[in-house]
């Protein structure tokens, strides 16, 4: 039985959607786990972060430190945050209360991101459904870089292809690729929580283990576990500095005329990434942008 005298502090912070992945990273580093991110798919330029903290576990100094950390992170992207709120609330099931406002989210012409506890709305019955448990970790598909990737897969379905998903997070891109006809995926992340989230979301979507293969690690794990036939398509939705660290090793796993979809880069980083990959023998096939974020499709004729 819950203690009716128990009190929580509920922190509320509206923020631009492009900060979603960075906020997940920061909250994980701060070991804050009682949180949710709420958004409206129709008005998806901003989201709201909710954090629940027992009132006897958070001093004024700790509250100020949290706010400063969020503001500082936003500043690294030249973004500002609206004033936050601290509200004292009665005991509540914080892990369920945020579910009230997360809605089915159509992406592209054929994908629907669906909260795992909801039925498919009749108007979306013809779409390919990706059920997610957003409480597990690492995003719900609302971030512009993730939407760019899903739209790219939707516009050019990877039918029969073997996919590598580097930095798989919640597994949403791997699941989308399989829903759109991919033969199999090899999904990696350096965070064990991301691998757990991918496993949970694969189960929610009834994806067989032999189709969605996931490993803790990076490109070396894909190279060690992929089939004789090399990868047809690499998905890499990671920030630009990490993309540059991984880029020279893409050719170890990708097959002849294979493609790489890069996202997670800012629009102003497009030329920087082009200048990095062109000397490595890659050709730029396509560039798409959404808000401040960009997607780049590369190919390389390898022997």
């Amino acid at each position: 039985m819950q203690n009716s005298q128990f009190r929580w502090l509920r922190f509320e912070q509206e923020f631009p959607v492009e900060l979603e992945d960075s906020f997940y990273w920061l909250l994980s580093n701060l070991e804050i786990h009682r949180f949710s991110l709420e958004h409206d798919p129709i008005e998806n330029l901003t989201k709201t972060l909710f954090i629940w903290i027992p009132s006897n576990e958070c001093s004024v100094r700790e509250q100020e430190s949290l706010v400063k950390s969020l503001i500082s992170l936003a500043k690294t992207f030249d973004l500002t945050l609206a004033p936050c709120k601290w509200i004292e609330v009665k005991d509540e099931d914080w892990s369920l209360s945020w579910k009230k406002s997360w809605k089915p989210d159509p992406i592209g012409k054929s994908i629907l991101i669906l909260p795992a506890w909801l039925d498919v709305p009749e108007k979306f019955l013809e779409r390919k459904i990706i059920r997610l448990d957003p409480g597990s970790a690492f995003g719900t598909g609302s971030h512009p870089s993730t939407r760019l990737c899903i739209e790219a897969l939707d516009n050019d379905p990877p039918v029969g292809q073997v996919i590598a998903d580097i930095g798989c997070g919640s597994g949403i891109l791997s699941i989308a690729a399989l829903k759109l006809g991919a033969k199999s995926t090899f999904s990696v992340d350096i965070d064990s929580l991301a691998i757990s989230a991918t496993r949970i979301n694969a189960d929610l979507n009834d994806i067989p283990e032999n189709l969605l293969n996931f490993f803790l690690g990076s490109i070396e794990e894909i190279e060690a576990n992929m089939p004789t036939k090399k990868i047809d398509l690499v998905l890499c939705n990671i920030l630009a500095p990490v993309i540059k660290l991984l880029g020279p090793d893409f050719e170890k796993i990708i097959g002849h005329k294979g493609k790489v979809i890069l996202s997670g880069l800012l629009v102003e980083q497009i030329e920087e990434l082009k200048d990095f990959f062109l000397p490595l023998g890659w050709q730029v096939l396509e560039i798409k942008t959404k808000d401040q974020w960009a997607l780049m499709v590369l190919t390389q004729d390898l022997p």
Side-chain angles (χ1 to χ4, degrees):
M1 180 181 297
Q2 292 180 327
N3 181 355
S4 61
Q5 301 303 313
F6 193 80
R7 291 291 185 271
W8 296 83
L9 285 176
R10 187 176 69 218
F11 173 77
E12 301 180 9
Q13 176 67 69
E14 185 177 343
F15 65 93
V17 292
E18 50 265 48
L19 289 173
E20 179 181 3
D21 288 348
S22 299
F23 273 16
Y24 269 112
W25 169 83
L26 177 61
L27 294 171
S28 177
N29 280 1
L30 294 176
E31 297 186 350
I32 293 174
H33 306 296
R34 302 183 187 99
F35 72 90
S36 70
L37 300 177
E38 296 185 2
H39 79 289
D40 182 340
I42 297 174
E43 298 292 339
N44 58 3
L45 294 179
T46 62
K47 303 187 81 167
T48 302
L49 167 66
F50 294 89
I51 300 175
W52 286 261
I53 305 173
S55 58
N56 61 349
E57 293 183 9
C58 190
S59 67
V60 173
R61 179 175 295 180
E62 289 170 323
Q63 294 175 40
E64 292 174 347
S65 177
L66 172 61
V67 174
K68 287 178 181 177
S69 296
L70 294 169
I71 291 173
S72 177
L73 182 57
K75 283 183 178 179
T76 64
F77 293 90
D78 294 324
L79 297 171
T80 58
L81 298 178
C84 66
K85 298 178 183 178
W86 288 95
I87 302 172
E88 187 174 68
V89 295
K90 295 181 180 180
D91 197 14
E92 61 178 307
D93 188 347
W94 62 268
S95 65
L96 297 176
S97 61
W98 56 272
K99 291 183 176 181
K100 299 174 184 176
S101 62
W102 195 44
K103 303 174 183 178
D105 189 3
I107 301 179
K109 59 182 181 293
S110 64
I111 295 293
L112 180 73
I113 306 300
L114 186 69
W117 57 91
L118 294 182
D119 294 327
V120 182
E122 186 172 352
K123 65 179 179 179
F124 295 131
L125 287 175
E126 300 302 316
R127 286 182 174 256
K128 300 180 187 300
I129 308 302
I130 299 177
R131 295 184 179 276
L132 287 186
D133 174 9
S136 56
F138 304 103
T140 61
S142 62
H143 192 280
S145 66
T146 306
R147 299 182 84 86
L148 281 168
C149 285
I150 294 175
E151 289 168 1
L153 291 169
D154 196 22
N155 290 331
D156 186 13
V159 177
Q161 295 184 9
V162 178
I163 309 295
D165 184 3
I166 302 174
C168 59
S170 64
I172 185 172
L173 296 183
S174 296
I175 295 169
L178 291 167
K179 294 280 186 177
L180 290 165
K183 180 179 180 181
S184 62
T185 68
F186 291 81
S187 310
V188 294
D189 203 292
I190 61 173
D191 192 324
S192 60
L193 290 177
I195 299 303
S196 296
T198 297
R199 180 183 293 109
I200 289 168
N201 288 323
D203 289 343
L204 285 173
N205 289 277
D206 297 320
I207 305 292
E209 288 187 13
N210 64 324
L211 296 187
L212 202 168
N213 306 275
F214 42 84
F215 308 94
L216 183 66
S218 190
I219 289 179
E220 68 278 359
E221 293 298 326
I222 296 175
E223 187 178 13
N225 290 282
M226 69 185 185
T228 303
K229 180 181 183 298
K230 288 195 171 184
I231 299 297
D232 299 302
L233 177 64
V234 173
L235 306 174
C236 192
N237 182 22
I238 303 178
L239 296 177
V242 183
I243 289 175
K244 291 172 71 173
L245 289 175
L246 297 172
D249 290 329
F250 286 160
E251 64 180 35
K252 293 180 179 179
I253 61 172
I254 199 162
H256 182 64
K257 294 186 178 180
K259 295 179 182 179
V260 177
I261 294 179
L262 303 175
S263 193
L265 52 145
L266 297 169
V267 170
E268 58 262 31
Q269 295 170 324
I270 291 174
E271 292 304 317
E272 174 187 345
L273 267 294
K274 287 171 63 175
D275 291 343
F276 178 81
F277 279 101
L278 290 176
L280 296 177
W282 294 92
Q283 305 169 34
V284 178
L285 294 181
E286 186 178 18
I287 294 173
K288 295 283 188 179
T289 63
K290 186 182 293 289
D291 301 329
Q292 300 183 56
W293 297 88
L295 173 144
M296 184 180 297
V297 182
L298 307 175
T299 190
Q300 185 179 46
D301 286 342
L302 299 173

